[in-house]
Amino acid sequence: MKRMSQPTSSGLTLIKNWAPLLLLEAALVFAWSAMNGSYEGLHIGSWQIIEWLINYQSGFVRRGLGGELIFSLSNGASLLKTLYHSTLFFYCSYCVIFVAIYCFAKIRQPKVLLIALLVPGGLFQMGITIQFFTRKEILFLILFGCLCLEYLWIRRATLRSRQFGLSLFYVTAIVGGVLMTLVHEGYLFMAYPLTLLFLWINFKENTASWIARIGLVSYTLIIPIVFLICAKYHGNADAVQLIWDSLPLADRLELSPAAPYTAFGPIASLGWGFQQNLLTIYGVFATGGWKYWLIFIVGNFFTLAYLFTQLSTHLQQVANSVQINKKYLSLLFFGVFISSGMFIIAADWGRWIAYITNSLILFAFVMTQSDYIIGNVSVHHSQNRILQQFTNLSFKSWFFILILLYCLLFKLPECCIHPSFVFMPYQHYFRLLM
């Protein structure tokens, strides 16, 4: 009997270790095929494309940096092919960064990696559904991922190299944050709070460094200032038409065949003010869409809670502590709270859920290596009751199965939601494979 059980056990271990990588490979294959395919028509939705194509052809305007770069790279040719290749490159880059952070953080928990990939809005669904990585938030994730890798490098650096690493960390955060705000001013609400928390933790670990102090203060002040500049130059009807007219006619015919000479989509809404953005949230409640969004808000929250508590167990072993590190869990749930500001000012809730989920998974990975968390471990005999409940749940098999089923069955839409959009269309993928 022992001889028979050994191969079975090793087979299950092999499946657990390789299943996440196979899922990621499948997602990359689907994304590569979708973005590089030679079929006619748009490879992604027209609204996703047009948001990228806002540029500076009418002068400085909010969100215009990304489109200006695409405009320059295309050199007068079609912008669409450049955009397809660029977004695919961004997705592949994020995949590499995600796996690198998982490896360098020394997590070594296949179940954690599996759920982190499968979570609605995560890497697997990005590639399979061709969503989220085609939005500008993928750049926010790449920037945050680079900061995570730099932080992990600083943790291992010698004293001499650490000063260079700190300089690079804060320069990346500040310069990258400015560029991201110029790409999409929503950076201030989505990425800025968690990044600021990350920089503050790095400062607390390096309080003697003047670089950390100046870097934290500079980032804190500069990003809101750039946001205010973007808010002032938000565009008008004349700028909107000039930007639309700057696009090649062939691209406009594909994006809006019925009216190629009239501004359409995100370019047309470029001149919206804050009040008009707030009114879009009314549509979430007026159409009843909030009921379906609630599924994903609750589902992704409990998925993150499962991941956090599994990682806190890993942290226990690293810190050689017999108690769950309350500081770690409290920090992560605080990160969830401060990252949710975008929900109250704009209506594309699926995009916000996806970004928050991905960035917090990266943050949870790197915080297992944080001196701020494990530097002065103290044993807590009395835990917060809510955190204790999450901890208990994470070890129950039925809870893992529920989380896994949620990740496999539900598909997170980007913005518009309908009952037919909330389930994974596996029959469609099977047809493509056949």
Side-chain angles (χ1 to χ4, degrees):
M1 294 297 292
K2 289 183 179 178
R3 289 181 180 177
M4 291 179 66
S5 62
Q6 190 174 0
T8 304
S9 175
S10 62
L12 289 173
T13 302
L14 189 65
I15 291 172
K16 280 198 307 182
N17 290 334
W18 284 97
L21 294 179
L22 290 174
L23 287 173
L24 188 55
E25 182 182 4
L28 283 166
V29 168
F30 268 92
W32 185 276
S33 175
M35 304 308 285
N36 282 327
S38 59
Y39 54 86
E40 294 183 0
L42 298 176
H43 293 203
I44 55 179
S46 58
W47 277 70
Q48 291 96 316
I49 293 172
I50 294 172
E51 185 179 25
W52 283 98
L53 300 184
I54 299 168
N55 55 52
Y56 293 152
Q57 297 302 302
S58 67
F60 179 80
V61 69
R62 68 187 177 105
R63 305 187 188 185
L65 180 60
E68 189 64 21
L69 293 175
I70 292 171
F71 200 90
S72 301
L73 289 171
S74 299
N75 197 25
S78 172
L79 305 177
L80 299 185
K81 184 174 289 188
T82 302
L83 178 61
Y84 297 152
H85 293 165
S86 298
T87 50
L88 178 62
F89 172 76
F90 297 149
Y91 176 62
C92 294
S93 300
Y94 178 54
C95 288
V96 171
I97 290 170
F98 185 97
V99 174
I101 292 170
Y102 174 83
C103 293
F104 292 143
K106 301 178 181 178
I107 306 299
R108 307 294 189 272
Q109 293 190 42
K111 282 202 301 186
V112 166
L113 181 58
L114 179 67
I115 297 299
L117 292 174
L118 285 175
V119 62
L123 274 174
F124 178 71
Q125 284 200 13
M126 282 187 191
I128 292 294
T129 62
I130 319 301
Q131 289 184 317
F132 301 113
F133 76 84
T134 59
R135 295 286 194 169
K136 291 181 175 180
E137 292 82 48
I138 191 66
L139 296 177
F140 301 173
L141 287 173
I142 290 173
L143 174 60
F144 191 76
C146 289
L147 290 174
C148 290
L149 288 175
E150 289 173 11
Y151 176 83
L152 292 172
W153 179 75
I154 292 170
R155 299 290 302 116
R156 294 164 172 77
T158 62
L159 186 60
R160 179 179 295 181
S161 301
R162 181 177 284 254
Q163 293 305 307
F164 171 75
L166 284 171
S167 300
L168 183 62
F169 180 80
Y170 285 98
V171 167
T172 301
I174 295 166
V175 175
V178 169
L179 295 177
M180 291 304 103
T181 308
L182 296 176
V183 166
H184 193 301
E185 72 280 3
Y187 177 85
L188 180 73
F189 301 94
M190 278 185 280
Y192 174 76
L194 189 62
T195 305
L196 185 60
L197 177 62
F198 194 14
L199 268 60
W200 179 81
I201 290 169
N202 197 36
F203 164 72
K204 294 295 286 184
E205 294 174 348
N206 301 275
T207 52
S209 172
W210 62 270
I211 295 172
R213 190 180 301 273
I214 293 176
L216 177 61
V217 173
S218 299
Y219 182 83
T220 303
L221 297 176
I222 290 174
I223 303 305
I225 291 171
V226 177
F227 171 82
L228 291 175
I229 294 171
C230 290
K232 180 179 179 181
Y233 294 95
H234 60 80
N236 53 40
D238 293 335
V240 163
Q241 193 59 48
L242 284 171
I243 292 170
W244 181 255
D245 291 341
S246 73
L247 307 183
L249 179 59
D251 290 347
R252 283 183 276 148
L253 284 167
E254 282 202 63
L255 293 168
S256 180
Y261 298 99
T262 304
F264 170 70
I267 290 180
S269 62
L270 189 62
W272 283 8
F274 185 62
Q275 184 177 4
Q276 287 169 295
N277 274 303
L278 287 177
L279 286 174
T280 62
I281 300 178
Y282 169 75
V284 175
F285 295 94
T287 60
W290 66 270
K291 299 177 217 177
Y292 302 104
W293 286 126
L294 195 60
I295 295 171
F296 294 102
I297 291 172
V298 173
N300 276 38
F301 176 80
F302 275 97
T303 303
L304 285 174
Y306 172 81
L307 293 173
F308 293 169
T309 50
Q310 286 289 315
L311 289 169
S312 68
T313 306
H314 166 77
L315 187 60
Q316 256 185 231
Q317 299 166 353
V318 172
N320 196 26
S321 172
V322 296
Q323 295 288 330
I324 294 295
N325 197 316
K326 189 169 92 171
K327 196 175 187 180
Y328 175 75
L329 290 173
S330 299
L331 180 70
L332 295 180
F333 284 114
F334 179 67
V336 174
F337 173 73
I338 63 174
S339 300
S340 56
M342 199 69 183
F343 286 97
I344 62 175
I345 64 168
D348 287 0
W349 283 6
R351 297 166 65 184
W352 321 151
I353 294 170
Y355 177 78
I356 291 171
T357 300
N358 281 277
S359 60
L360 281 163
I361 289 172
L362 298 181
F363 188 59
F365 285 169
V366 297
M367 283 300 101
T368 61
Q369 301 292 309
S370 170
D371 262 352
Y372 175 76
I373 298 295
I374 63 177
N376 297 301
V377 177
S378 57
V379 176
H380 298 280
H381 292 288
S382 59
Q383 282 188 286
N384 181 291
R385 184 173 295 179
I386 296 175
L387 295 180
Q388 181 66 51
Q389 290 301 318
F390 279 130
T391 301
N392 292 338
L393 277 174
S394 72
F395 292 103
K396 296 184 183 296
S397 297
W398 62 264
F399 187 62
F400 170 74
I401 293 171
L402 284 178
I403 293 294
L404 185 60
L405 287 174
Y406 165 72
C407 293
L408 289 172
L409 294 178
F410 286 90
K411 178 178 78 72
L412 178 64
E414 285 184 336
C415 51
C416 303
I417 197 163
H418 186 272
S420 61
F421 295 166
V422 300
F423 294 104
M424 287 290 288
Y426 287 112
Q427 68 280 3
H428 169 70
Y429 305 133
F430 288 139
R431 283 199 299 268
L432 288 177
L433 291 174
M434 296 298 289

